[in-house]
Amino acid sequence: MMEATDGEDLIRDPDQRAAAPPNGVINELLDVGQENNIQGQMEDFLGPQAEYNEEEEERKYYRRKRLGVIKNVLAASFGAMIVYSVYMGLLQMQLILHYDMTYREVKYSNLGLEDIDRKMLMGINVTPIIGLLYTPVLIRFLGTKWMMFLASGIYALFVSTNYWERYYTLVPSAVAIGVAIVPFWASLGNYITRMAQQYYEYANYKEEHVQEQKKLPKGACHRYIVVFQSLFNIIFNLSLVFAQLPMGLVLNDCLHRTDHILCNVKKCGAEVSGLIPGFNTTILEKLPPSMLLIQVESILMGFAFLAMIVFLVLCGAAYRPTEEIDLRSIGWGNIFQLPFKHLRDYRLRLLCPFFIYSGFEVLFAITGFSLTYGVCVLGLKKLWLLIVVYGLSCSLFSSLSLCLLRLPRWVCLVGGAFIHLVLLVTLMAFSPSPRDSAYQGPLLIISVLWGLGTALNKTGISTVLGLLYAEEKERLDFVYTIYHWWQAVAIFIVYLWSYLPMRAKLSILLVTLLLACYCYWAMERRLAQKVPYRLPRIPRPRHKVKGYRYLEEDNSDESDSERSEEDDDEEDEEQREEEEDEVRVVEEMGAEEREKGGHDAAAAAAAAGAWGADSPRARRRGVEGQWRQREDAPVKEGE
């Protein structure tokens, strides 16, 4: 039974096998189904997704880019604010301590700190005069972002030298700050304006001129420049407020009474020659503990490092890498010369008096007015109050520059000049009595109004420069270098006039302000009449591996508007000769083909006729390809 059953099974198996396909066929069918399934999945994965919207993703991408630009502006503003808060706060505290005779005798009896302070201030104020020679080279070599980072590191170096107050620590660090001032401010001005240009590019990414990275249309990014410059000045001017924290929290408790400090002062205000004649040389009632001073300097050092990290991490690049290479590739000799050649532009020349007055008025507010009018009347303990009010006023009223979104660009500069003009005339007749607290209200009102004029002045100049050169990416560093170099020259002049009579200082300020207003009016009048201005031509970048790039044929002294027609004719003639040479080569190769005759010659003639619609360069490439094809033909036949 078992065998029969097996036999029956064996008899049935062939029928079953005939009815059912073999296992190999089943596997092949399964493989075919799996391949089709995988192919379908791959098509679904690689093909266009139904839920993917390219325009929406592109819009989100450029929105993130715009937010990144705003982050860069805020980071640069806060970084600069922290740097100058630390620098001015430490310098003020250091000068007050070193002025006191008791502190010098107890701490450093034979060191001569007062003489060190004079040389240190000389290094800070004199060194920037040569800034025009090296600032553009440094910015082009290091890049805008890295120049800001390096300059903030130099300010941190100055803070660190105060741990060990010696001639060989304080004076070299002060000279280093003098070297870094003009590059730092030129980089900041360049960076803020460049961010406005980038924001416009990211906001209008669909425009053809943006996609092809062409020059921006005139006036395209003006509103962004106004907003970003206003935002920067609102944040930066708070540095005047935070700089008073070391004095308000540490030194005020150690100062003598006002009657003791001002006991020998007989007159204040406009009648004074110098700063405060008769000011007591002993101003500290008790010496601050050394450990407390070390703690304060350590906190300031920490904030200086924080500013460096902000510039390094949070600030993005101002230019694309290819643009950075192009900016350097015009030659270091041209980079050195171009700031001087840009002074031939009458717009910059006529703005120079305003640049000088901008340096005058800020330093006069911090030193001349605050000391000769404020400290002389209210005492040294109220110095921090005057400067805090001035800083808050500058920060708050910097937002008024947003009115340039609707009003002409001259409103800020003319408004600030009018306010300062009235205040200068008032100060020339104002001589308050020493140690009279009744003048505190008027002095605070003058501080507020002077801060209003400073806010309109500083923001207005930066904005006007940005509006005039908004479309010139490659000129921004030269323009802002000239601006801040003239400011540095003005600060040096203020350093020299410290012993002049107060009315002489006010007269210099008044004359400079009137001259600046007249020159600015002349500039706007020329622009309204469309008088052409002269801009030096920036040579085309040439990436060559050989030295002496600045000796090439490009002449940066030549203006774009004055470019001669002879150069254009020479270029056209060279291009025409090149095209004739290419056509001659094609004709010669065609003649050689016709000598061989046959089908190949006819084919070559037909190919040359087809290529005739293209450029001569394309025809030459076509004939050369035909030659290569014929040379390879015998080889293929032999194979």
Side-chain angles (χ1 to χ4, degrees), residues 242-421:
F242 293 114
Q244 301 307 309
L245 291 179
M247 180 175 179
L249 299 178
V250 178
L251 289 185
N252 261 12
D253 296 335
C254 303
L255 295 176
H256 266 298
R257 299 186 313 275
T258 302
D259 296 337
H260 173 80
I261 296 175
L262 302 176
C263 62
N264 297 322
V265 177
K266 305 300 181 185
K267 52 186 178 181
C268 297
E271 298 178 356
V272 170
S273 293
L275 292 177
I276 310 176
F279 200 69
N280 202 330
T281 56
T282 305
I283 58 177
L284 295 177
E285 185 177 9
K286 60 179 180 180
L287 298 182
S290 299
M291 187 55 64
L292 179 61
L293 294 178
I294 291 175
Q295 291 173 355
V296 172
E297 290 170 1
S298 300
I299 294 173
L300 295 177
M301 190 69 196
F303 277 103
F305 276 121
L306 176 63
M308 294 178 64
I309 294 172
V310 167
F311 283 123
L312 179 63
V313 177
L314 297 182
C315 288
Y319 295 91
R320 301 182 184 93
T322 54
E323 290 176 332
E324 294 275 6
I325 294 172
D326 289 344
L327 289 176
R328 301 187 190 112
S329 299
I330 67 173
W332 299 113
N334 288 323
I335 294 173
F336 175 79
Q337 298 172 20
L338 281 171
F340 302 95
K341 294 178 180 178
H342 274 83
L343 286 171
R344 298 173 182 174
D345 183 1
Y346 71 79
R347 298 176 295 176
L348 279 178
R349 284 204 315 271
L350 294 175
L351 281 174
C352 283
F354 251 123
F355 300 161
I356 296 173
Y357 178 75
S358 176
F360 281 167
E361 60 95 5
V362 172
L363 210 59
F364 173 78
I366 296 176
T367 58
F369 172 75
S370 298
L371 297 178
T372 308
Y373 287 88
V375 173
C376 187
V377 176
L378 304 178
L380 193 58
K381 288 190 176 183
K382 293 297 180 68
L383 174 62
W384 70 272
L385 178 61
L386 290 170
I387 298 182
V388 164
V389 170
Y390 171 70
L392 287 175
S393 175
C394 290
S395 176
L396 179 63
F397 291 119
S398 293
S399 59
L400 292 179
S401 64
L402 294 174
C403 67
L404 297 182
L405 295 172
R406 300 293 181 185
L407 299 177
R409 64 184 173 215
W410 54 266
V411 171
C412 271
L413 283 177
V414 174
F418 176 76
I419 293 171
H420 278 180
L421 182 65

Side-chain angles (χ1 to χ4, degrees), residues 79-91 94 124-125 128 147-163 169-170 172-186 188 236 297 300-308 311 491:
M81 185 265 291
I82 294 172
V83 165
Y84 264 75
S85 298
V86 171
Y87 165 64
M88 291 189 294
L90 180 62
L91 186 62
Q94 176 182 343
I124 294 174
N125 294 312
M147 188 65 247
M148 295 190 297
F149 171 73
L150 178 63
S152 63
I154 292 176
Y155 281 93
L157 173 67
F158 175 75
V159 178
S160 66
T161 55
N162 282 267
Y163 285 107
T169 58
L170 293 178
S173 63
V175 172
I177 282 186
V179 171
I181 284 178
V182 177
F184 180 62
W185 279 102
L188 279 174
F236 173 75
E297 290 170 1
L300 295 177
M301 190 69 196
F303 277 103
F305 276 121
L306 176 63
M308 294 178 64
F311 283 123
I491 292 173

Side-chain angles (χ1 to χ4, degrees), residues 390-464:
Y390 171 70
L392 287 175
S393 175
C394 290
S395 176
L396 179 63
F397 291 119
S398 293
S399 59
L400 292 179
S401 64
L402 294 174
C403 67
L404 297 182
L405 295 172
R406 300 293 181 185
L407 299 177
R409 64 184 173 215
W410 54 266
V411 171
C412 271
L413 283 177
V414 174
F418 176 76
I419 293 171
H420 278 180
L421 182 65
V422 174
L423 290 177
L424 286 172
V425 175
T426 304
L427 290 175
M428 291 182 75
F430 184 47
S431 297
S433 302
R435 303 179 299 278
D436 191 350
S437 58
Y439 288 101
Q440 179 173 338
L443 289 173
L444 291 178
I445 292 174
I446 293 175
S447 292
V448 171
L449 293 177
W450 196 277
L452 170 60
T454 299
L456 295 177
N457 186 351
K458 300 283 287 185
T459 313
I461 292 177
S462 300
T463 304
V464 166

